[in-house]
């Protein structure tokens, strides 16, 4: 968000004043300092104080993992060529799907960053089934997400294993389904057009890609983290605890509600575990569904898929992914639980 304000005398432009989001943030902080007494009085309401505590706790716990995730994502986008994976992936699509799923463990990235990476893999000649498997696995089974899940659920280590199995199974099953029934005609031609490599000073260009990718992912994912923390705080304050207790008593309904909530909230995979853990009244299985479905498909991913691969692809890929992720999460929960 950038505004450009020009100060002119006659027809000659004297100087330009750029007001960016950083200046806006500083102005908000200054206003908060001057109005701290009134803000303190406003937050003296018990409900607001509880909501503020939940919001700050989620943001503080999740932010280090979010920053680490976007730094790794930026490094992969800038310094890891798609040709590396083309050399290690088997020729057979079915075998390539399993290797691509495991590659998501070694090459982590957020959901948004995985979409252009999958596109570049296709351009470099990787089978679409393997590229889509990597797209689903990278943001869901990487070490950053698993460690964040372990921190969010310190008393339930089984959640880490269940999330890994459910998410990995989702990626592999979707890859195998595409290898069997997918059609390249569903992907628009522009998605498979050759992408330009950094020109000129390649090293400097890659550092520029790293900085820009990390900055963009941090701003985008940070916004979703704040939104998720606000919604989580609101759920803890505005929604009566009896509702969650009633929902906990209807496991099927709780699973469906959390699956839909994962799609609507569109949280970053590095932060969603802390939001799920804050809903203490719900049992672990609906929370597991929330953690498996969210990184696989949500509203922002649907928009990215439609914009990158075409609407014909998105309207087929999204509902199937939702069903597969839901089923895999339930199976993982039953097996581990």
């Amino acid at each position: 968000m950038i505004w450009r304000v020009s100060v002119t005398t006659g027809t000659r432009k004297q100087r330009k004043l750029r007001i960016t989001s950083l200046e806006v943030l500083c102005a908000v902080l200054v206003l908060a300092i001057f109005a701290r007494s009134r803000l303190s009085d406003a937050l003296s309401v018990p409900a607001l104080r509880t909501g503020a505590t939940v919001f700050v706790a989620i943001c503080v716990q999740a932010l280090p993992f979010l920053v680490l995730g976007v730094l790794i994502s930026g490094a992969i986008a800038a310094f890891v060529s798609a040709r590396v994976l083309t050399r290690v992936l088997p020729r057979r699509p079915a075998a390539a799907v399993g290797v691509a799923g495991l590659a998501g463990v070694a090459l982590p990235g957020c959901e948004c960053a995985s979409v252009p990476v999958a596109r570049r893999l296709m351009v470099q000649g990787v089978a679409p089934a393997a590229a889509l498997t990597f797209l689903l696995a990278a943001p869901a089974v990487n070490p950053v997400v698993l460690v964040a899940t372990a921190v969010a659920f310190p008393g339930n280590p089984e959640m880490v294993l269940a999330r890994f199995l459910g998410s990995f199974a989702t990626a592999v099953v979707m890859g195998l389904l595409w290898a069997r029934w997918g059609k390249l005609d569903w992907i628009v031609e522009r998605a498979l057009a050759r992408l330009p490599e950094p020109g000129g000073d390649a090293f400097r260009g890659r550092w520029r890609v790293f900085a820009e990718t990390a900055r963009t992912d941090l701003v985008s994912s940070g916004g979703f983290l704040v939104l998720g923390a606000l919604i989580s705080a609101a759920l803890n304050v505005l929604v009566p605890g009896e509702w969650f207790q009633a929902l906990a008593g209807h496991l099927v309904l709780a699973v469906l509600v959390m699956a839909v909530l994962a799609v609507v909230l569109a949280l970053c995979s590095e932060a969603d575990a802390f939001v799920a853990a804050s809903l203490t009244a719900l049992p672990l299985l609906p929370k597991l569904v929330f953690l498996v479905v969210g990184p696989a498909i949500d509203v922002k991913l649907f928009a990215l898929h439609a914009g990158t691969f075409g609407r014909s692809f998105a309207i087929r890929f999204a509902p199937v992914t939702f069903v597969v992720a839901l089923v895999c999460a339930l199976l993982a929960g039953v097996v581990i639980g």
Side-chain angles (χ1 to χ4, degrees), residues 72 76 85 100-111 113-115 117-118 121 131-146 167-168 171 269-270 295:
I72 295 175
I76 290 172
L85 286 179
L102 293 175
V105 180
L107 300 176
C110 72
E111 300 94 319
S114 298
V115 175
V117 172
L121 289 174
L132 295 176
T133 301
F134 179 82
L135 180 150
L136 293 172
V141 300
N142 67 72
V144 178
V145 170
L146 297 179
S167 297
F168 183 79
S269 59
E270 284 96 356

PDB file of all heavy atoms in Angstrom, residues 72 76 85 100-111 113-115 117-118 121 131-146 167-168 171 269-270 295:
ATOM      1  N   ILE A  72      13.123 -19.440   4.421  1.00  0.00           N
ATOM      2  CA  ILE A  72      13.440 -20.668   3.698  1.00  0.00           C
ATOM      3  C   ILE A  72      12.760 -20.665   2.330  1.00  0.00           C
ATOM      4  O   ILE A  72      13.360 -21.052   1.318  1.00  0.00           O
ATOM      5  CB  ILE A  72      13.013 -21.893   4.520  1.00  0.00           C
ATOM      6  CG1 ILE A  72      13.847 -21.983   5.803  1.00  0.00           C
ATOM      7  CG2 ILE A  72      13.168 -23.176   3.705  1.00  0.00           C
ATOM      8  CD1 ILE A  72      13.414 -23.089   6.732  1.00  0.00           C
ATOM      9  N   ILE A  76      14.668 -20.880  -1.299  1.00  0.00           N
ATOM     10  CA  ILE A  76      14.372 -21.911  -2.297  1.00  0.00           C
ATOM     11  C   ILE A  76      14.023 -21.283  -3.631  1.00  0.00           C
ATOM     12  O   ILE A  76      14.487 -21.701  -4.695  1.00  0.00           O
ATOM     13  CB  ILE A  76      13.237 -22.816  -1.798  1.00  0.00           C
ATOM     14  CG1 ILE A  76      13.724 -23.674  -0.636  1.00  0.00           C
ATOM     15  CG2 ILE A  76      12.716 -23.709  -2.920  1.00  0.00           C
ATOM     16  CD1 ILE A  76      12.628 -24.449   0.045  1.00  0.00           C
ATOM     17  N   LEU A  85      15.349 -30.882  -9.064  1.00  0.00           N
ATOM     18  CA  LEU A  85      14.331 -31.917  -8.880  1.00  0.00           C
ATOM     19  C   LEU A  85      14.114 -32.729 -10.142  1.00  0.00           C
ATOM     20  O   LEU A  85      13.804 -33.920 -10.077  1.00  0.00           O
ATOM     21  CB  LEU A  85      13.014 -31.257  -8.432  1.00  0.00           C
ATOM     22  CG  LEU A  85      12.978 -30.771  -6.990  1.00  0.00           C
ATOM     23  CD1 LEU A  85      11.632 -30.121  -6.695  1.00  0.00           C
ATOM     24  CD2 LEU A  85      13.220 -31.909  -6.024  1.00  0.00           C
ATOM     25  N   ALA A 100       8.430 -36.774  -4.986  1.00  0.00           N
ATOM     26  CA  ALA A 100       8.052 -35.367  -4.862  1.00  0.00           C
ATOM     27  C   ALA A 100       7.418 -35.078  -3.508  1.00  0.00           C
ATOM     28  O   ALA A 100       7.626 -34.003  -2.935  1.00  0.00           O
ATOM     29  CB  ALA A 100       7.073 -34.988  -5.983  1.00  0.00           C
ATOM     30  N   GLY A 101       6.657 -36.033  -2.982  1.00  0.00           N
ATOM     31  CA  GLY A 101       6.089 -35.850  -1.654  1.00  0.00           C
ATOM     32  C   GLY A 101       7.163 -35.762  -0.595  1.00  0.00           C
ATOM     33  O   GLY A 101       7.096 -34.926   0.308  1.00  0.00           O
ATOM     34  N   LEU A 102       8.185 -36.605  -0.697  1.00  0.00           N
ATOM     35  CA  LEU A 102       9.295 -36.545   0.249  1.00  0.00           C
ATOM     36  C   LEU A 102      10.133 -35.290   0.060  1.00  0.00           C
ATOM     37  O   LEU A 102      10.723 -34.770   1.014  1.00  0.00           O
ATOM     38  CB  LEU A 102      10.176 -37.788   0.099  1.00  0.00           C
ATOM     39  CG  LEU A 102       9.525 -39.117   0.503  1.00  0.00           C
ATOM     40  CD1 LEU A 102      10.455 -40.284   0.194  1.00  0.00           C
ATOM     41  CD2 LEU A 102       9.161 -39.108   1.983  1.00  0.00           C
ATOM     42  N   ALA A 103      10.189 -34.779  -1.178  1.00  0.00           N
ATOM     43  CA  ALA A 103      10.922 -33.543  -1.422  1.00  0.00           C
ATOM     44  C   ALA A 103      10.301 -32.373  -0.682  1.00  0.00           C
ATOM     45  O   ALA A 103      10.990 -31.403  -0.345  1.00  0.00           O
ATOM     46  CB  ALA A 103      10.972 -33.245  -2.920  1.00  0.00           C
ATOM     47  N   GLY A 104       9.002 -32.454  -0.418  1.00  0.00           N
ATOM     48  CA  GLY A 104       8.352 -31.401   0.349  1.00  0.00           C
ATOM     49  C   GLY A 104       8.874 -31.308   1.769  1.00  0.00           C
ATOM     50  O   GLY A 104       8.798 -30.240   2.387  1.00  0.00           O
ATOM     51  N   VAL A 105       9.421 -32.413   2.286  1.00  0.00           N
ATOM     52  CA  VAL A 105      10.014 -32.387   3.628  1.00  0.00           C
ATOM     53  C   VAL A 105      11.332 -31.632   3.606  1.00  0.00           C
ATOM     54  O   VAL A 105      11.643 -30.843   4.502  1.00  0.00           O
ATOM     55  CB  VAL A 105      10.232 -33.820   4.145  1.00  0.00           C
ATOM     56  CG1 VAL A 105      10.845 -33.805   5.534  1.00  0.00           C
ATOM     57  CG2 VAL A 105       8.907 -34.588   4.151  1.00  0.00           C
ATOM     58  N   ALA A 106      12.112 -31.851   2.564  1.00  0.00           N
ATOM     59  CA  ALA A 106      13.437 -31.235   2.491  1.00  0.00           C
ATOM     60  C   ALA A 106      13.401 -29.812   1.955  1.00  0.00           C
ATOM     61  O   ALA A 106      14.293 -29.020   2.245  1.00  0.00           O
ATOM     62  CB  ALA A 106      14.341 -32.086   1.608  1.00  0.00           C
ATOM     63  N   LEU A 107      12.382 -29.477   1.161  1.00  0.00           N
ATOM     64  CA  LEU A 107      12.302 -28.149   0.543  1.00  0.00           C
ATOM     65  C   LEU A 107      11.020 -27.470   0.985  1.00  0.00           C
ATOM     66  O   LEU A 107      10.037 -27.425   0.252  1.00  0.00           O
ATOM     67  CB  LEU A 107      12.342 -28.268  -0.981  1.00  0.00           C
ATOM     68  CG  LEU A 107      13.596 -28.910  -1.570  1.00  0.00           C
ATOM     69  CD1 LEU A 107      13.459 -29.062  -3.073  1.00  0.00           C
ATOM     70  CD2 LEU A 107      14.828 -28.087  -1.234  1.00  0.00           C
ATOM     71  N   PRO A 108      10.996 -26.941   2.196  1.00  0.00           N
ATOM     72  CA  PRO A 108       9.757 -26.355   2.708  1.00  0.00           C
ATOM     73  C   PRO A 108       9.422 -25.038   2.031  1.00  0.00           C
ATOM     74  O   PRO A 108      10.266 -24.361   1.477  1.00  0.00           O
ATOM     75  CB  PRO A 108      10.072 -26.132   4.194  1.00  0.00           C
ATOM     76  CG  PRO A 108      11.550 -25.949   4.236  1.00  0.00           C
ATOM     77  CD  PRO A 108      12.095 -26.851   3.167  1.00  0.00           C
ATOM     78  N   GLY A 109       8.167 -24.674   2.131  1.00  0.00           N
ATOM     79  CA  GLY A 109       7.702 -23.391   1.603  1.00  0.00           C
ATOM     80  C   GLY A 109       6.262 -23.183   2.013  1.00  0.00           C
ATOM     81  O   GLY A 109       5.552 -24.137   2.343  1.00  0.00           O
ATOM     82  N   CYS A 110       5.821 -21.949   2.007  1.00  0.00           N
ATOM     83  CA  CYS A 110       4.431 -21.689   2.366  1.00  0.00           C
ATOM     84  C   CYS A 110       3.533 -22.025   1.176  1.00  0.00           C
ATOM     85  O   CYS A 110       4.006 -22.254   0.055  1.00  0.00           O
ATOM     86  CB  CYS A 110       4.249 -20.238   2.803  1.00  0.00           C
ATOM     87  SG  CYS A 110       4.340 -19.040   1.462  1.00  0.00           S
ATOM     88  N   GLU A 111       2.224 -22.019   1.407  1.00  0.00           N
ATOM     89  CA  GLU A 111       1.283 -22.389   0.352  1.00  0.00           C
ATOM     90  C   GLU A 111       1.416 -21.495  -0.874  1.00  0.00           C
ATOM     91  O   GLU A 111       1.430 -21.960  -2.018  1.00  0.00           O
ATOM     92  CB  GLU A 111      -0.161 -22.304   0.872  1.00  0.00           C
ATOM     93  CG  GLU A 111      -0.455 -23.216   2.034  1.00  0.00           C
ATOM     94  CD  GLU A 111      -0.283 -22.541   3.373  1.00  0.00           C
ATOM     95  OE1 GLU A 111       0.697 -21.765   3.520  1.00  0.00           O
ATOM     96  OE2 GLU A 111      -1.105 -22.753   4.260  1.00  0.00           O
ATOM     97  N   ALA A 113       3.967 -19.682  -1.900  1.00  0.00           N
ATOM     98  CA  ALA A 113       5.229 -19.852  -2.622  1.00  0.00           C
ATOM     99  C   ALA A 113       5.271 -21.168  -3.383  1.00  0.00           C
ATOM    100  O   ALA A 113       5.972 -21.276  -4.398  1.00  0.00           O
ATOM    101  CB  ALA A 113       6.399 -19.779  -1.648  1.00  0.00           C
ATOM    102  N   SER A 114       4.537 -22.180  -2.932  1.00  0.00           N
ATOM    103  CA  SER A 114       4.587 -23.480  -3.587  1.00  0.00           C
ATOM    104  C   SER A 114       3.902 -23.481  -4.944  1.00  0.00           C
ATOM    105  O   SER A 114       4.244 -24.300  -5.807  1.00  0.00           O
ATOM    106  CB  SER A 114       3.940 -24.541  -2.689  1.00  0.00           C
ATOM    107  OG  SER A 114       4.637 -24.665  -1.474  1.00  0.00           O
ATOM    108  N   VAL A 115       2.962 -22.584  -5.151  1.00  0.00           N
ATOM    109  CA  VAL A 115       2.245 -22.548  -6.427  1.00  0.00           C
ATOM    110  C   VAL A 115       3.173 -22.163  -7.576  1.00  0.00           C
ATOM    111  O   VAL A 115       3.246 -22.885  -8.588  1.00  0.00           O
ATOM    112  CB  VAL A 115       1.027 -21.606  -6.345  1.00  0.00           C
ATOM    113  CG1 VAL A 115       0.354 -21.478  -7.708  1.00  0.00           C
ATOM    114  CG2 VAL A 115       0.026 -22.124  -5.313  1.00  0.00           C
ATOM    115  N   VAL A 117       6.388 -22.375  -7.626  1.00  0.00           N
ATOM    116  CA  VAL A 117       7.415 -23.414  -7.707  1.00  0.00           C
ATOM    117  C   VAL A 117       6.882 -24.607  -8.506  1.00  0.00           C
ATOM    118  O   VAL A 117       7.583 -25.159  -9.369  1.00  0.00           O
ATOM    119  CB  VAL A 117       7.867 -23.850  -6.303  1.00  0.00           C
ATOM    120  CG1 VAL A 117       8.785 -25.066  -6.388  1.00  0.00           C
ATOM    121  CG2 VAL A 117       8.590 -22.710  -5.593  1.00  0.00           C
ATOM    122  N   ALA A 118       5.646 -25.000  -8.248  1.00  0.00           N
ATOM    123  CA  ALA A 118       5.044 -26.107  -8.995  1.00  0.00           C
ATOM    124  C   ALA A 118       4.917 -25.752 -10.474  1.00  0.00           C
ATOM    125  O   ALA A 118       5.142 -26.609 -11.351  1.00  0.00           O
ATOM    126  CB  ALA A 118       3.669 -26.441  -8.409  1.00  0.00           C
ATOM    127  N   LEU A 121       8.302 -26.140 -12.032  1.00  0.00           N
ATOM    128  CA  LEU A 121       8.626 -27.556 -12.206  1.00  0.00           C
ATOM    129  C   LEU A 121       7.990 -28.104 -13.481  1.00  0.00           C
ATOM    130  O   LEU A 121       8.627 -28.847 -14.243  1.00  0.00           O
ATOM    131  CB  LEU A 121       8.149 -28.356 -10.994  1.00  0.00           C
ATOM    132  CG  LEU A 121       8.924 -28.152  -9.691  1.00  0.00           C
ATOM    133  CD1 LEU A 121       8.234 -28.888  -8.555  1.00  0.00           C
ATOM    134  CD2 LEU A 121      10.354 -28.629  -9.833  1.00  0.00           C
ATOM    135  N   ALA A 131       4.597 -32.480  -9.799  1.00  0.00           N
ATOM    136  CA  ALA A 131       4.606 -31.058  -9.432  1.00  0.00           C
ATOM    137  C   ALA A 131       3.464 -30.726  -8.484  1.00  0.00           C
ATOM    138  O   ALA A 131       3.643 -29.974  -7.518  1.00  0.00           O
ATOM    139  CB  ALA A 131       4.519 -30.194 -10.689  1.00  0.00           C
ATOM    140  N   LEU A 132       2.294 -31.279  -8.732  1.00  0.00           N
ATOM    141  CA  LEU A 132       1.145 -31.017  -7.857  1.00  0.00           C
ATOM    142  C   LEU A 132       1.331 -31.703  -6.500  1.00  0.00           C
ATOM    143  O   LEU A 132       0.874 -31.182  -5.477  1.00  0.00           O
ATOM    144  CB  LEU A 132      -0.141 -31.490  -8.533  1.00  0.00           C
ATOM    145  CG  LEU A 132      -0.519 -30.733  -9.814  1.00  0.00           C
ATOM    146  CD1 LEU A 132      -1.751 -31.342 -10.457  1.00  0.00           C
ATOM    147  CD2 LEU A 132      -0.756 -29.249  -9.510  1.00  0.00           C
ATOM    148  N   THR A 133       1.979 -32.847  -6.486  1.00  0.00           N
ATOM    149  CA  THR A 133       2.289 -33.492  -5.205  1.00  0.00           C
ATOM    150  C   THR A 133       3.204 -32.614  -4.373  1.00  0.00           C
ATOM    151  O   THR A 133       2.986 -32.428  -3.173  1.00  0.00           O
ATOM    152  CB  THR A 133       2.953 -34.859  -5.445  1.00  0.00           C
ATOM    153  OG1 THR A 133       2.071 -35.685  -6.209  1.00  0.00           O
ATOM    154  CG2 THR A 133       3.276 -35.545  -4.133  1.00  0.00           C
ATOM    155  N   PHE A 134       4.230 -32.049  -5.006  1.00  0.00           N
ATOM    156  CA  PHE A 134       5.124 -31.146  -4.300  1.00  0.00           C
ATOM    157  C   PHE A 134       4.377 -29.902  -3.834  1.00  0.00           C
ATOM    158  O   PHE A 134       4.613 -29.408  -2.722  1.00  0.00           O
ATOM    159  CB  PHE A 134       6.280 -30.748  -5.212  1.00  0.00           C
ATOM    160  CG  PHE A 134       7.246 -29.786  -4.583  1.00  0.00           C
ATOM    161  CD1 PHE A 134       8.243 -30.246  -3.742  1.00  0.00           C
ATOM    162  CD2 PHE A 134       7.143 -28.423  -4.806  1.00  0.00           C
ATOM    163  CE1 PHE A 134       9.129 -29.361  -3.140  1.00  0.00           C
ATOM    164  CE2 PHE A 134       8.016 -27.534  -4.212  1.00  0.00           C
ATOM    165  CZ  PHE A 134       9.019 -28.004  -3.378  1.00  0.00           C
ATOM    166  N   LEU A 135       3.471 -29.394  -4.656  1.00  0.00           N
ATOM    167  CA  LEU A 135       2.682 -28.213  -4.287  1.00  0.00           C
ATOM    168  C   LEU A 135       1.916 -28.445  -2.989  1.00  0.00           C
ATOM    169  O   LEU A 135       1.807 -27.544  -2.148  1.00  0.00           O
ATOM    170  CB  LEU A 135       1.721 -27.876  -5.432  1.00  0.00           C
ATOM    171  CG  LEU A 135       0.789 -26.672  -5.288  1.00  0.00           C
ATOM    172  CD1 LEU A 135       0.502 -26.073  -6.665  1.00  0.00           C
ATOM    173  CD2 LEU A 135      -0.546 -27.070  -4.658  1.00  0.00           C
ATOM    174  N   LEU A 136       1.375 -29.651  -2.809  1.00  0.00           N
ATOM    175  CA  LEU A 136       0.592 -29.949  -1.612  1.00  0.00           C
ATOM    176  C   LEU A 136       1.469 -30.350  -0.430  1.00  0.00           C
ATOM    177  O   LEU A 136       1.113 -30.090   0.726  1.00  0.00           O
ATOM    178  CB  LEU A 136      -0.403 -31.070  -1.914  1.00  0.00           C
ATOM    179  CG  LEU A 136      -1.524 -30.726  -2.902  1.00  0.00           C
ATOM    180  CD1 LEU A 136      -2.311 -31.980  -3.267  1.00  0.00           C
ATOM    181  CD2 LEU A 136      -2.453 -29.679  -2.319  1.00  0.00           C
ATOM    182  N   ALA A 137       2.614 -30.979  -0.694  1.00  0.00           N
ATOM    183  CA  ALA A 137       3.439 -31.499   0.394  1.00  0.00           C
ATOM    184  C   ALA A 137       4.314 -30.424   1.025  1.00  0.00           C
ATOM    185  O   ALA A 137       4.464 -30.386   2.258  1.00  0.00           O
ATOM    186  CB  ALA A 137       4.312 -32.644  -0.118  1.00  0.00           C
ATOM    187  N   ALA A 138       4.904 -29.552   0.213  1.00  0.00           N
ATOM    188  CA  ALA A 138       5.890 -28.596   0.727  1.00  0.00           C
ATOM    189  C   ALA A 138       5.378 -27.737   1.874  1.00  0.00           C
ATOM    190  O   ALA A 138       6.085 -27.556   2.878  1.00  0.00           O
ATOM    191  CB  ALA A 138       6.405 -27.721  -0.421  1.00  0.00           C
ATOM    192  N   PRO A 139       4.168 -27.171   1.794  1.00  0.00           N
ATOM    193  CA  PRO A 139       3.720 -26.334   2.909  1.00  0.00           C
ATOM    194  C   PRO A 139       3.145 -27.098   4.085  1.00  0.00           C
ATOM    195  O   PRO A 139       2.814 -26.483   5.107  1.00  0.00           O
ATOM    196  CB  PRO A 139       2.635 -25.459   2.256  1.00  0.00           C
ATOM    197  CG  PRO A 139       2.069 -26.316   1.190  1.00  0.00           C
ATOM    198  CD  PRO A 139       3.214 -27.141   0.668  1.00  0.00           C
ATOM    199  N   ALA A 140       3.020 -28.412   3.978  1.00  0.00           N
ATOM    200  CA  ALA A 140       2.292 -29.158   5.006  1.00  0.00           C
ATOM    201  C   ALA A 140       3.149 -30.129   5.799  1.00  0.00           C
ATOM    202  O   ALA A 140       2.824 -30.423   6.958  1.00  0.00           O
ATOM    203  CB  ALA A 140       1.131 -29.931   4.356  1.00  0.00           C
ATOM    204  N   VAL A 141       4.227 -30.641   5.233  1.00  0.00           N
ATOM    205  CA  VAL A 141       5.003 -31.675   5.921  1.00  0.00           C
ATOM    206  C   VAL A 141       6.439 -31.238   6.156  1.00  0.00           C
ATOM    207  O   VAL A 141       7.295 -32.068   6.499  1.00  0.00           O
ATOM    208  CB  VAL A 141       4.993 -33.000   5.116  1.00  0.00           C
ATOM    209  CG1 VAL A 141       3.581 -33.506   4.948  1.00  0.00           C
ATOM    210  CG2 VAL A 141       5.671 -32.831   3.756  1.00  0.00           C
ATOM    211  N   ASN A 142       6.737 -29.956   5.991  1.00  0.00           N
ATOM    212  CA  ASN A 142       8.113 -29.507   6.174  1.00  0.00           C
ATOM    213  C   ASN A 142       8.440 -29.366   7.662  1.00  0.00           C
ATOM    214  O   ASN A 142       7.551 -29.271   8.502  1.00  0.00           O
ATOM    215  CB  ASN A 142       8.358 -28.197   5.416  1.00  0.00           C
ATOM    216  CG  ASN A 142       7.582 -27.038   5.988  1.00  0.00           C
ATOM    217  OD1 ASN A 142       7.889 -26.525   7.065  1.00  0.00           O
ATOM    218  ND2 ASN A 142       6.556 -26.596   5.261  1.00  0.00           N
ATOM    219  N   PRO A 143       9.725 -29.355   8.027  1.00  0.00           N
ATOM    220  CA  PRO A 143      10.117 -29.327   9.447  1.00  0.00           C
ATOM    221  C   PRO A 143       9.611 -28.110  10.199  1.00  0.00           C
ATOM    222  O   PRO A 143       9.304 -28.211  11.394  1.00  0.00           O
ATOM    223  CB  PRO A 143      11.650 -29.338   9.379  1.00  0.00           C
ATOM    224  CG  PRO A 143      11.981 -29.954   8.064  1.00  0.00           C
ATOM    225  CD  PRO A 143      10.889 -29.532   7.135  1.00  0.00           C
ATOM    226  N   VAL A 144       9.527 -26.948   9.539  1.00  0.00           N
ATOM    227  CA  VAL A 144       9.055 -25.744  10.230  1.00  0.00           C
ATOM    228  C   VAL A 144       7.626 -25.934  10.724  1.00  0.00           C
ATOM    229  O   VAL A 144       7.293 -25.630  11.880  1.00  0.00           O
ATOM    230  CB  VAL A 144       9.150 -24.521   9.304  1.00  0.00           C
ATOM    231  CG1 VAL A 144       8.613 -23.272  10.004  1.00  0.00           C
ATOM    232  CG2 VAL A 144      10.586 -24.284   8.855  1.00  0.00           C
ATOM    233  N   VAL A 145       6.777 -26.465   9.868  1.00  0.00           N
ATOM    234  CA  VAL A 145       5.375 -26.675  10.235  1.00  0.00           C
ATOM    235  C   VAL A 145       5.256 -27.736  11.322  1.00  0.00           C
ATOM    236  O   VAL A 145       4.466 -27.588  12.270  1.00  0.00           O
ATOM    237  CB  VAL A 145       4.563 -27.074   8.982  1.00  0.00           C
ATOM    238  CG1 VAL A 145       3.165 -27.546   9.379  1.00  0.00           C
ATOM    239  CG2 VAL A 145       4.463 -25.901   8.029  1.00  0.00           C
ATOM    240  N   LEU A 146       6.039 -28.795  11.222  1.00  0.00           N
ATOM    241  CA  LEU A 146       5.947 -29.862  12.217  1.00  0.00           C
ATOM    242  C   LEU A 146       6.446 -29.396  13.580  1.00  0.00           C
ATOM    243  O   LEU A 146       5.862 -29.747  14.615  1.00  0.00           O
ATOM    244  CB  LEU A 146       6.737 -31.081  11.735  1.00  0.00           C
ATOM    245  CG  LEU A 146       6.226 -31.732  10.441  1.00  0.00           C
ATOM    246  CD1 LEU A 146       7.093 -32.908  10.058  1.00  0.00           C
ATOM    247  CD2 LEU A 146       4.766 -32.149  10.571  1.00  0.00           C
ATOM    248  N   SER A 167      -1.246 -35.155   5.896  1.00  0.00           N
ATOM    249  CA  SER A 167      -0.867 -34.224   4.830  1.00  0.00           C
ATOM    250  C   SER A 167      -0.072 -34.930   3.733  1.00  0.00           C
ATOM    251  O   SER A 167      -0.280 -34.671   2.539  1.00  0.00           O
ATOM    252  CB  SER A 167      -0.051 -33.070   5.413  1.00  0.00           C
ATOM    253  OG  SER A 167      -0.819 -32.329   6.332  1.00  0.00           O
ATOM    254  N   PHE A 168       0.849 -35.820   4.132  1.00  0.00           N
ATOM    255  CA  PHE A 168       1.639 -36.549   3.137  1.00  0.00           C
ATOM    256  C   PHE A 168       0.729 -37.450   2.302  1.00  0.00           C
ATOM    257  O   PHE A 168       0.877 -37.528   1.069  1.00  0.00           O
ATOM    258  CB  PHE A 168       2.712 -37.376   3.835  1.00  0.00           C
ATOM    259  CG  PHE A 168       3.620 -38.116   2.891  1.00  0.00           C
ATOM    260  CD1 PHE A 168       4.647 -37.462   2.243  1.00  0.00           C
ATOM    261  CD2 PHE A 168       3.449 -39.475   2.659  1.00  0.00           C
ATOM    262  CE1 PHE A 168       5.485 -38.140   1.366  1.00  0.00           C
ATOM    263  CE2 PHE A 168       4.273 -40.159   1.783  1.00  0.00           C
ATOM    264  CZ  PHE A 168       5.305 -39.490   1.142  1.00  0.00           C
ATOM    265  N   ALA A 171      -1.153 -35.364  -0.283  1.00  0.00           N
ATOM    266  CA  ALA A 171      -0.329 -34.978  -1.433  1.00  0.00           C
ATOM    267  C   ALA A 171      -0.121 -36.158  -2.382  1.00  0.00           C
ATOM    268  O   ALA A 171      -0.250 -36.019  -3.611  1.00  0.00           O
ATOM    269  CB  ALA A 171       1.010 -34.430  -0.946  1.00  0.00           C
ATOM    270  N   SER A 269       0.389 -22.044   6.923  1.00  0.00           N
ATOM    271  CA  SER A 269       0.625 -23.342   7.564  1.00  0.00           C
ATOM    272  C   SER A 269       1.601 -23.259   8.725  1.00  0.00           C
ATOM    273  O   SER A 269       1.605 -24.123   9.591  1.00  0.00           O
ATOM    274  CB  SER A 269       1.144 -24.349   6.530  1.00  0.00           C
ATOM    275  OG  SER A 269       2.340 -23.893   5.932  1.00  0.00           O
ATOM    276  N   GLU A 270       2.443 -22.199   8.742  1.00  0.00           N
ATOM    277  CA  GLU A 270       3.371 -22.048   9.862  1.00  0.00           C
ATOM    278  C   GLU A 270       2.697 -21.528  11.123  1.00  0.00           C
ATOM    279  O   GLU A 270       3.293 -21.540  12.196  1.00  0.00           O
ATOM    280  CB  GLU A 270       4.523 -21.101   9.501  1.00  0.00           C
ATOM    281  CG  GLU A 270       5.573 -21.716   8.602  1.00  0.00           C
ATOM    282  CD  GLU A 270       5.326 -21.386   7.148  1.00  0.00           C
ATOM    283  OE1 GLU A 270       4.292 -20.738   6.867  1.00  0.00           O
ATOM    284  OE2 GLU A 270       6.146 -21.774   6.295  1.00  0.00           O
ATOM    285  N   PRO A 295      -3.749 -26.247   4.700  1.00  0.00           N
ATOM    286  CA  PRO A 295      -2.638 -26.090   3.752  1.00  0.00           C
ATOM    287  C   PRO A 295      -2.890 -26.716   2.389  1.00  0.00           C
ATOM    288  O   PRO A 295      -2.172 -26.418   1.433  1.00  0.00           O
ATOM    289  CB  PRO A 295      -1.474 -26.817   4.463  1.00  0.00           C
ATOM    290  CG  PRO A 295      -1.855 -26.846   5.906  1.00  0.00           C
ATOM    291  CD  PRO A 295      -3.346 -26.977   5.916  1.00  0.00           C
TER     292      PRO A 295
END
